[in-house]
Amino acid sequence: MFIGLGFSVAEGPEVETAYYNFDALNTPVTHPSRLTTDTFYVEPVRDLFAPETVLLRVHTSPVQIRAMEQQPPPLYSLMPGRVYRPDSDATHTPQFHQMEGLAVDTDITLADLQGTLLAWARATFGEERRVRMRPHFFPFTEPSVEVDVSCFNCIHGITADGERCPICKGESWLEILGAGMVDPNVFEHVRQYGYDPEQVQGFAFGMGIE
């Protein structure tokens, strides 16, 4: 579906540096994701917060920076791949898959993001689906949103047999991904490649495939 909207597929290394995984994505050194409890670091680690520190990427977002370094705007790119976090319980595994998208052009707005995700949700979950956005926070987007899709198993939280929907827990909505407008601080890291934050805007989104 995204290919039909003009997106191309980009890939990047799973073993990354702190610069691409954190610094270039506007993630401060005080962010909890940079702790050893949240990230797999590759030994030896001399300085946890040095840009050259090597780690297993915690998201596919570093590919956004690498894609912008390789191509000037406009850029419409989809980034699927494996990611790693030291989580292991009933709903989390140390390795899982993400798919992220990045669109950078002139006059990109939050409405473009909403329209793109609505088209994806209807192609994936059915033509009757709706999406909604709720305010959130991510270091690399501003504003940031959580995106929900209307439940495909019920009407207003009630199934056809009159029971509370077990999928959405009666809420009528399912949280599916995080998204937002690319923070200008991210563009500053790739300004020399044509991404002047005064001239271009962009949106980004990311979802867990599992």
Side-chain angles (χ1 to χ4, degrees):
M1 194 285 298
F2 288 109
I3 300 298
L5 293 177
F7 285 76
S8 60
V9 177
E11 295 182 343
E14 296 174 19
V15 179
E16 264 295 2
T17 64
Y19 172 77
Y20 285 102
N21 197 83
F22 294 124
D23 299 327
L25 293 166
N26 199 42
T27 305
V29 295
T30 55
H31 196 277
S33 65
R34 303 187 75 139
L35 298 175
T36 55
T37 53
D38 281 37
T39 295
F40 287 114
Y41 286 92
V42 178
E43 296 292 348
V45 177
R46 295 184 177 87
D47 182 353
L48 204 62
F49 307 115
E52 64 274 12
T53 298
V54 180
L55 48 86
L56 298 182
R57 65 183 183 185
V58 302
H59 44 194
T60 53
S61 302
V63 186
Q64 296 183 19
I65 303 299
R66 292 183 177 277
M68 287 188 283
E69 288 179 345
Q70 294 170 10
Q71 177 185 322
L75 174 66
Y76 293 82
S77 189
L78 200 66
M79 300 96 171
R82 286 187 293 264
V83 297
Y84 306 85
R85 297 178 191 177
D87 296 323
S88 185
D89 56 37
T91 58
H92 298 84
T93 58
Q95 175 191 291
F96 57 101
H97 298 80
Q98 277 190 345
M99 181 175 70
E100 299 199 15
L102 173 68
V104 184
D105 209 329
T106 56
D107 300 321
I108 291 280
T109 69
L110 202 62
D112 296 311
L113 169 63
Q114 185 173 23
T116 299
L117 294 179
L118 178 61
W120 169 78
R122 288 180 171 174
T124 304
F125 300 109
E127 285 297 323
E128 301 302 316
R129 300 285 65 76
R130 295 171 291 133
V131 296
R132 72 175 182 182
M133 295 180 173
R134 295 176 285 107
H136 197 68
F137 169 76
F138 300 107
F140 32 81
T141 52
E142 179 58 41
S144 302
V145 294
E146 290 277 9
V147 181
D148 304 331
V149 63
S150 57
C151 185
F152 49 82
N153 190 55
C154 66
I155 298 177
H156 303 305
I158 305 299
T159 62
D161 58 6
E163 300 294 327
R164 188 183 79 153
C165 179
I167 294 179
C168 70
K169 307 295 190 296
E171 296 294 326
S172 302
W173 296 93
L174 298 167
E175 181 182 317
I176 53 173
L177 56 87
M181 300 299 292
V182 178
D183 193 299
N185 290 337
V186 173
F187 286 139
E188 287 293 348
H189 286 278
V190 287
R191 177 191 282 268
Q192 66 269 38
Y193 301 97
Y195 292 86
D196 183 344
E198 297 295 328
Q199 302 296 324
V200 298
Q201 303 82 40
F203 65 71
F205 59 86
M207 66 188 82
I209 295 177
E210 282 81 1

